[in-house]
Amino acid sequence: MLFSTFTIAKTLLYYKGGEFIAHGPWKHRRMYHKGDYELILCIKGPIYLQINDQRFTLKPHEVLIVPPFTTFYGYQDSENDVDFYWLHFFSQHKEDAFESDEATMTSEVRANKTAKHKIFLPMYFKLTDYEEATILIHQILSIHNELSFIEERDYLVSALLIQLYKSYFNRPDSNEDSTRINYMKEWIRANMSSTLTVAEIANRVHLNPDYLTRLFKQCTGMTTLQYLNHVKIEVATLLLIRTEMPIKQVADSSYFNDPKVFMRRFKSSTGLSPTEYRKSYNLIHLNNPHVDPQIPIPKRIADSIDYIPENGDIPE
């Protein structure tokens, strides 16, 4: 499979982004990326995309990274609704693309044999914990700089790729404890309720609750109860940024019995109240087939990278 390096000795540079929504039938128009990468996270699909001569069918929670200097277009209509986040960015370094099998790359990364300040991502992969990436992308797209000398989005784009890197290479392996914990994490997400307890989770895998908690801490850095609360806050965050639900309904849908407890825990976790969070991270650029932003490369990017030509459509 095709991997790309991303050098994070310097921040990646945010260019433009948004959320695209279309009602089928719809097909991505033909484009050419002259110097920027584009990251696409599918929310609703499938989306049929072709990069040069390679075709991809992008399904919900799957990521596609479009490399620079490539022709990119939809090769088939999506008959149903599509919804995806799109994010363009530049690297301040000359990156490499290379073929490698998944097992070899995973082994090298986990053995810490890779170059310092470099991360690696495949061109196309499925996210197992898409919620964190969705929230981070939404934060990036919601920022409107008030301090021109600080480009916060550059740091957040770098953090996003690091998060994707960690998510991809921390996939379940054959280790019995790791496999068991990953099974339990999925089971918790599928069976979340306001009454779910650590004892109930432990009973599911026939383990002592104290031992399960130690195992959870060892594999995830969180106790079982902390992970349970983390998932509830994650659900609430997604509902706040992706829906217009009233706060009380968000609390109920996030499996909190008491709205006051929900608001207290949410503020403790994020530093903002649910209402403040929704206001802060709900101002993103939405586009549709009739709105296609062509944004010139900002001067701060052009000044940082001297080998990237002007962006635009496919040359004649």
Side-chain angles (χ1 to χ4, degrees):
M1 59 195 307
L2 184 64
F3 284 81
S4 176
T5 63
F6 291 100
T7 307
I8 53 174
K10 294 181 180 179
T11 63
L12 301 168
L13 301 175
Y14 172 82
Y15 175 21
K16 60 182 178 179
E19 181 180 1
F20 182 92
I21 299 171
H23 304 291
W26 169 84
K27 183 167 64 175
H28 202 294
R29 77 178 185 88
R30 195 175 183 90
M31 298 181 68
Y32 183 77
H33 287 212
K34 286 190 174 179
D36 51 316
Y37 290 85
E38 181 177 3
L39 186 149
I40 296 173
L41 171 58
C42 181
I43 306 299
K44 289 182 183 178
I47 306 168
Y48 304 99
L49 300 171
Q50 182 162 339
I51 302 174
N52 291 335
D53 59 354
Q54 191 170 4
R55 291 183 170 184
F56 301 89
T57 301
L58 203 59
K59 298 174 183 176
H61 310 156
E62 291 184 340
V63 172
L64 180 68
I65 299 177
V66 184
F69 311 108
T70 50
T71 304
F72 170 54
Y73 58 93
Y75 66 87
Q76 179 180 322
D77 282 347
S78 296
E79 296 298 333
N80 300 317
D81 293 353
V82 299
D83 185 352
F84 60 88
Y85 287 113
W86 56 277
L87 193 70
H88 290 247
F89 62 91
F90 292 88
S91 172
Q92 298 193 59
H93 301 265
K94 186 69 174 177
E95 304 295 359
D96 297 317
F98 59 95
E99 291 282 350
S100 179
D101 66 89
E102 191 175 56
T104 299
M105 278 303 304
T106 300
S107 175
E108 289 184 3
V109 168
R110 292 183 179 179
N112 201 26
K113 293 181 179 179
T114 55
K116 191 176 181 181
H117 300 308
K118 280 187 185 290
I119 61 174
F120 307 87
L121 283 172
M123 177 184 290
Y124 171 66
F125 60 99
K126 185 176 180 66
L127 270 177
T128 54
D129 50 356
Y130 73 96
E131 295 93 344
E132 289 187 32
T134 301
I135 292 166
L136 191 47
I137 289 173
H138 213 280
Q139 290 177 347
I140 292 167
L141 299 178
S142 299
I143 290 174
H144 298 275
N145 274 1
E146 295 177 354
L147 299 174
S148 59
F149 61 93
I150 298 176
E151 186 52 61
E152 185 179 355
R153 289 172 298 191
D154 292 348
Y155 293 92
L156 289 177
V157 169
S158 304
L160 170 64
L161 264 70
I162 292 170
Q163 194 274 328
L164 294 176
Y165 168 77
K166 289 168 59 180
S167 174
Y168 181 77
F169 287 107
N170 283 335
R171 299 181 321 283
D173 55 24
S174 57
N175 177 278
E176 184 178 350
D177 286 344
S178 178
T179 301
R180 180 179 285 176
I181 288 300
N182 279 288
Y183 165 76
M184 289 311 307
K185 287 165 70 175
E186 291 305 310
W187 186 87
I188 288 170
R189 290 178 180 275
N191 296 274
M192 181 66 66
S193 74
S194 58
T195 59
L196 188 62
T197 63
V198 174
E200 187 178 349
I201 298 168
N203 185 60
R204 176 71 185 183
V205 284
H206 311 290
L207 290 178
N208 176 279
D210 290 338
Y211 177 71
L212 176 64
T213 292
R214 288 197 299 274
L215 200 58
F216 240 94
K217 183 77 172 179
Q218 176 184 327
C219 293
T220 70
M222 291 182 277
T223 66
T224 316
L225 184 59
Q226 286 171 338
Y227 182 76
L228 199 56
N229 286 323
H230 169 75
V231 173
K232 290 182 178 182
I233 294 298
E234 212 170 51
V235 170
T237 301
L238 284 175
L239 291 174
L240 286 169
I241 63 177
R242 299 284 308 172
T243 76
E244 297 300 324
M245 280 185 183
I247 300 301
K248 185 179 184 306
Q249 190 177 349
V250 170
D252 290 340
S253 299
S254 306
Y255 312 104
F256 286 93
N257 285 329
D258 186 342
K260 291 182 179 179
V261 171
F262 163 65
M263 288 188 280
R264 185 169 66 249
R265 288 188 182 172
F266 190 90
K267 185 159 189 175
S268 174
S269 176
T270 67
L272 298 171
S273 71
T275 300
E276 290 170 338
Y277 192 93
R278 172 173 274 166
K279 287 180 179 178
S280 297
Y281 296 116
N282 210 30
L283 298 172
I284 71 170
H285 172 78
L286 294 174
N287 65 317
N288 57 54
H290 307 291
V291 180
D292 185 17
Q294 289 295 309
I295 304 172
I297 295 176
K299 187 175 184 300
R300 67 180 185 84
I301 294 179
D303 288 346
S304 299
I305 308 173
D306 57 14
Y307 59 87
I308 293 180
E310 182 65 20
N311 195 35
D313 293 331
I314 302 174
E316 296 296 331

